[in-house]
Amino acid sequence: MATALPATAASCLLQLSRRRLPGTSPLLSPLRATTSRCHGGSGVACSCSPGPPPAVPAEQRGGGAGQATSPEGTVRIVAVVGEGTISPIKDTPWEEVMRHTADRLKWVDEGFEMLVFTDNSIENDDLRKQLSYCDMLVNVAITNKDAVQWLINHSKDISNVICFQSSPSLLNKLGGTYVQYTGEQDMFGKLAGIGKPSGIKESAEVLKTISSAWERHNSDDIRFCLLVVANAYIRPVAMLQNLRAKGLSTVSCMIKNCGPQILNCLFDPNCRKALQCLNSCSPTDQVCNYRCIASYESPYLEAFSLCVLQKNNCLDLNAEIPTKPNVSPLTIFREQKLSHEIAEDLFVGWLDSMEWSWRVAAGQNPAYDQFPCQYQLFYRGKAKGSFWYEPVFQVKTLEGKLIWRRRRYRVRRASTPGTFYFSVLDNGVVSKEFWTIVDVAGDFSWGLFHYHGAAQAAGLSYTGAVLVTPDGSYPDVEDPRLASALEKCAIKKWELYTVDNSCCMGAPLGTPEGSKLHHQISPGKETVISQRR
């Protein structure tokens, strides 16, 4: 998967466009200034970009029931959903979405416990008990009058209450500060005048972040909403530590180490457009961030990222490759024990009889799988033991143009056959990934590849999977073997994003001269599939 330049770096550079760098004249055509924000009074670093606030100090948090008191403390969440209500995520019942979210919270932190009830359970003793010491209540699609009144009466002592698609009578509350939904602003509305002014300002920033994330309607962002609230009002969440820059130290590092790269980027039209675009994105919206990068790629943007992020880590970011979910690889293929050579052959796939190895039919990661016409090229290189992966895909730029992009990953075998380490330098930032071949049909009619990845210098970690076929068409979703493969990845069918493969003429395919393909196995000749372009 590709890497997006953090919006914090773009925002800081835009600030520099108004300043005089050492030994230079003031820059022309000043860009929109970015407001620096400080939290927590004196001695707290300012941020160069808008975004979610840092974790609120314990003494400033609301003292509701079940308040976690240490970074290692359990975060107890209760979710109540309307019985039989349907989500906008492929018409999946909200109860199923929230139960799956509860499982996915554990991947981030084992200390998160979320129990899910329906509004038919309002008289349930267990629900009363859980509400008495939970840290957060999440109301989803609650409109029944009796349920609304019951939840109002039984949530008065809970410091954090967030409500999605529910009755306006159910008020949002963060750290003891109420939020009144009016329907005139975003889905959370404006703040009621309850609580300290600093608390209101803090809550407004949190609400803006989770509002935009929730409206993206995917499982990653639903989980993210809960993590943001926990990070701000209950206890720090390690996954969110990279959302803010270090302020003055970031600017100082950029000027000291990357002056020429900054100037080149600011004076290059494409690089400048990329920064302006990134500055308009939420730091948490990977789709927006990566569209900006892919739309305005330039050597100057790559040089800027390489200097600021990869070489000097001016944003002081860090990210590790996730380890959960733990996905086991395929072990037997066509009645043969999977070896490293056979696993590589599965990646090579249809390359030889076709111009590509596989085409992506669907994927699980919302940041990347919305790009149309995704081709995969896997091949063995000239050097002994070398193996390469080159994804080719389309990007719809912000001007509405369709352009092709291509990346080149080095691939190394991991210890277990069917698992691999991938690495790529993408727009000046190194991404490292761990891939698993979950399963491939015996006739090569489909395959499922799972990945964990991180761009350490960009402070970004991610998880996803791609469902591939020879021609990009969707396989039979009722196939028990495919269902089992998705289950191994803890992926629900409704989490998959279908890739648009309808208009893919002119893809820049082809492999380097001297490349080698299959070693032991390849798609059987009995399978005839046309090369649809």
Side-chain angles (χ1 to χ4, degrees):
M1 294 294 100
T3 304
L5 174 70
T8 46
S11 182
C12 288
L13 183 51
L14 290 180
Q15 283 190 6
L16 290 177
S17 69
R18 287 183 172 269
R19 302 183 182 187
R20 183 192 298 267
L21 296 179
T24 70
S25 300
L27 298 176
L28 302 176
S29 304
L31 300 173
R32 174 171 62 87
T34 305
T35 302
S36 295
R37 287 184 169 87
C38 298
H39 295 277
S42 61
V44 180
C46 298
S47 168
C48 289
S49 73
V56 178
E59 64 272 13
Q60 296 180 14
R61 300 175 191 158
Q67 179 73 57
T69 57
S70 71
E72 294 77 25
T74 299
V75 177
R76 297 178 176 87
I77 304 172
V78 172
V80 181
V81 303
E83 177 74 27
T85 54
I86 302 299
S87 78
I89 307 175
K90 296 186 178 179
D91 296 329
T92 305
W94 268 122
E95 183 178 1
E96 180 180 343
V97 171
M98 297 308 291
R99 290 191 185 280
H100 186 54
T101 300
D103 293 335
R104 298 183 87 245
L105 282 169
K106 290 284 189 181
W107 301 353
V108 175
D109 191 323
E110 285 288 344
F112 278 82
E113 294 182 358
M114 184 167 82
L115 299 177
V116 181
F117 298 85
T118 68
D119 59 359
N120 282 356
S121 307
I122 57 175
E123 297 297 338
N124 187 297
D125 289 339
D126 189 33
L127 176 56
R128 279 199 187 92
K129 177 182 176 182
Q130 296 300 329
L131 289 177
S132 69
Y133 59 84
C134 73
D135 301 293
M136 186 193 314
L137 169 63
V138 184
N139 295 316
V140 182
I142 304 295
T143 57
N144 177 275
K145 291 183 179 179
D146 292 338
V148 168
Q149 190 57 53
W150 190 93
L151 287 167
I152 291 173
N153 294 338
H154 289 80
S155 61
K156 293 177 180 178
D157 294 328
I158 302 174
S159 292
N160 304 292
V161 180
I162 53 176
C163 308
F164 301 107
Q165 300 179 4
S166 296
S167 167
S169 299
L170 290 170
L171 301 182
N172 300 281
K173 184 167 53 172
L174 296 176
T177 300
Y178 280 95
V179 181
Q180 177 65 52
Y181 174 68
T182 66
E184 297 173 356
Q185 300 178 6
D186 59 25
M187 64 175 292
F188 287 97
K190 61 184 180 181
L191 290 166
I194 301 176
K196 299 179 181 179
S198 60
I200 292 177
K201 183 177 180 180
E202 192 83 42
S203 296
E205 201 168 341
V206 174
L207 290 172
K208 180 180 179 181
T209 299
I210 59 180
S211 175
S212 61
W214 183 271
E215 290 301 325
R216 291 196 285 270
H217 296 151
N218 64 71
S219 57
D220 280 358
D221 283 308
I222 290 174
R223 178 181 66 176
F224 175 77
C225 291
L226 306 183
L227 293 175
V228 167
V229 175
N231 182 67
Y233 299 102
I234 302 173
R235 69 164 170 83
V237 177
M239 179 183 178
L240 304 185
Q241 66 181 342
N242 294 318
L243 289 180
R244 303 189 70 81
K246 298 296 183 180
L248 296 178
S249 62
T250 296
V251 175
S252 175
C253 174
M254 291 167 64
I255 294 175
K256 177 181 177 181
N257 298 294
C258 305
Q261 291 84 356
I262 290 173
L263 286 174
N264 289 337
C265 184
L266 289 174
F267 284 120
D268 175 67
N270 265 5
C271 192
R272 197 178 182 92
K273 285 181 181 178
L275 296 176
Q276 290 173 313
C277 180
L278 285 165
N279 195 41
S280 69
C281 295
S282 163
T284 63
D285 188 349
Q286 291 186 39
V287 175
C288 179
N289 278 277
Y290 190 66
R291 279 194 71 191
C292 293
I293 295 295
S295 295
Y296 302 115
E297 284 186 0
S298 77
Y300 297 110
L301 181 63
E302 181 173 351
F304 168 76
S305 301
L306 184 64
C307 183
V308 171
L309 299 176
Q310 194 63 47
K311 290 184 176 180
N312 295 289
N313 194 16
C314 287
L315 272 66
D316 193 23
L317 300 177
N318 187 38
E320 301 294 333
I321 296 177
T323 58
K324 296 179 182 179
N326 184 14
V327 180
S328 57
L330 177 69
T331 56
I332 302 292
F333 185 77
R334 289 182 178 173
E335 300 182 350
Q336 296 184 63
K337 184 178 179 180
L338 194 72
S339 64
H340 289 295
E341 290 77 13
I342 292 177
E344 289 173 348
D345 285 346
L346 296 181
F347 268 152
V348 174
W350 291 89
L351 188 60
D352 190 14
S353 58
M354 295 185 178
E355 295 181 70
W356 54 83
S357 298
W358 297 95
R359 295 185 66 179
V360 179
Q364 188 268 336
N365 191 303
Y368 309 112
D369 300 320
Q370 41 92 27
F371 294 110
C373 300
Q374 297 186 34
Y375 294 85
Q376 294 186 326
L377 302 173
F378 288 95
Y379 57 90
R380 293 176 168 88
K382 289 183 179 180
K384 183 179 180 180
S386 64
F387 196 76
W388 300 90
Y389 165 52
E390 298 196 33
V392 179
F393 55 97
Q394 276 186 347
V395 174
K396 187 174 184 180
T397 69
L398 298 173
E399 286 89 5
K401 298 178 182 178
L402 283 174
I403 57 176
W404 288 101
R405 296 299 188 206
R406 182 166 175 160
R407 303 288 185 257
R408 191 167 192 250
Y409 290 72
R410 181 184 297 275
V411 181
R412 295 183 296 109
R413 298 172 179 176
S415 58
T416 303
T419 60
F420 298 84
Y421 296 108
F422 285 42
S423 61
V424 64
L425 179 64
D426 184 3
N427 286 290
V429 177
V430 173
S431 290
K432 296 181 179 181
E433 301 175 356
F434 182 78
W435 282 57
T436 300
I437 297 178
V438 184
D439 203 354
V440 175
D443 60 357
F444 282 72
S445 59
W446 61 266
L448 184 65
F449 308 146
H450 184 273
Y451 58 85
H452 293 300
Q456 185 176 22
L460 175 67
S461 59
Y462 47 89
T463 294
V466 286
L467 177 59
V468 297
T469 61
D471 62 355
S473 61
Y474 217 93
D476 180 10
V477 294
E478 302 304 323
D479 182 344
R481 183 167 172 175
L482 175 55
S484 176
L486 290 171
E487 183 66 26
K488 285 173 65 177
C489 301
I491 293 174
K492 303 296 184 182
K493 294 177 185 177
W494 48 265
E495 290 186 280
L496 293 173
Y497 293 79
T498 302
V499 174
D500 181 3
N501 288 309
S502 61
C503 186
C504 303
M505 298 296 293
L509 303 172
T511 56
E513 185 177 350
S515 301
K516 301 174 184 178
L517 303 180
H518 302 92
H519 184 267
Q520 288 183 241
I521 61 170
S522 62
K525 295 181 180 179
E526 70 278 4
T527 304
V528 179
I529 300 178
S530 62
Q531 294 191 35
R532 179 166 60 84
R533 296 290 293 277

